[in-house]
Amino acid sequence: MIPVKTFGLLSLFAVIPVAAYAGVSNGSGALALSAIVGDGSPLTSPADKKLLAAYLNGRADAPHAKGQRVAVKADAIDCRAGNVDITSHSCDLTFGGKKVELRGRKAHELYATLIENGVALEGAAGSSHASITALDCNVDADEVAEKAGGGARCAFNP
């Protein structure tokens, strides 16, 4: 039997609209997401792209300015992988008014990284689909260099 207090709380939650919870990731998955999206972003400087690529290639000791932080943002990311045409992999990234298309291996890498970061898959006609909006990643270069598991954080809306 459910106690009256528990029933009352459950009833209250049933009638109160709940806002969608944003996704959050930290550590290795967030670093990979930052590096892959940052590489395709027209908003990320060449120097920041180089640093993120070095980190993704296992070089935590990559030279950087003390206190350097790299921000990677995207308005929307929409990736698809074919489950009928299994050679089909594509991602569309939106940065303000600019759109970037990834195809093939790079698209699959981003698709898999979204899943690694907890983005749920959805089915569509002939493909599976992972998408997010409002991606906001921050990489703290000093913290990454410490090799203690931190330094990269991403937030997004599923």
Side-chain angles (χ1 to χ4, degrees):
M1 180 160 199
I2 299 174
V4 173
K5 279 186 176 180
T6 303
F7 181 74
L9 283 174
L10 290 173
S11 298
L12 180 62
F13 288 129
V15 295
I16 296 176
V18 178
Y21 289 101
V24 176
S25 67
N26 295 295
S28 176
L31 179 62
L33 186 58
S34 299
I36 295 166
V37 174
D39 184 54
S41 173
L43 308 175
T44 304
S45 74
D48 286 347
K49 288 179 183 189
K50 183 177 178 181
L51 180 61
L52 292 172
Y55 287 159
L56 192 56
N57 285 316
R59 293 194 40 240
D61 63 346
H64 65 275
K66 184 171 175 65
Q68 183 175 355
R69 295 178 185 270
V70 178
V72 175
K73 298 177 185 288
D75 295 317
I77 299 173
D78 183 24
C79 292
R80 294 181 186 276
N83 55 22
V84 174
D85 176 0
I86 62 171
T87 67
S88 176
H89 300 92
S90 65
C91 293
D92 296 320
L93 293 77
T94 305
F95 305 95
K98 296 200 176 222
K99 298 223 183 233
V100 174
E101 295 179 2
L102 301 179
R103 300 289 177 255
R105 182 181 292 252
K106 285 189 175 195
H108 184 267
E109 183 179 25
L110 179 52
Y111 173 83
T113 302
L114 288 172
I115 295 166
E116 175 186 10
N117 280 275
V119 175
L121 289 177
E122 296 179 13
S127 65
S128 53
H129 166 74
S131 65
I132 60 173
T133 60
L135 176 67
D136 185 3
C137 296
N138 289 287
V139 177
D140 180 323
D142 293 335
E143 196 173 346
V144 170
E146 291 174 4
K147 296 185 186 178
R153 293 164 194 82
C154 293
F156 51 85
N157 292 322

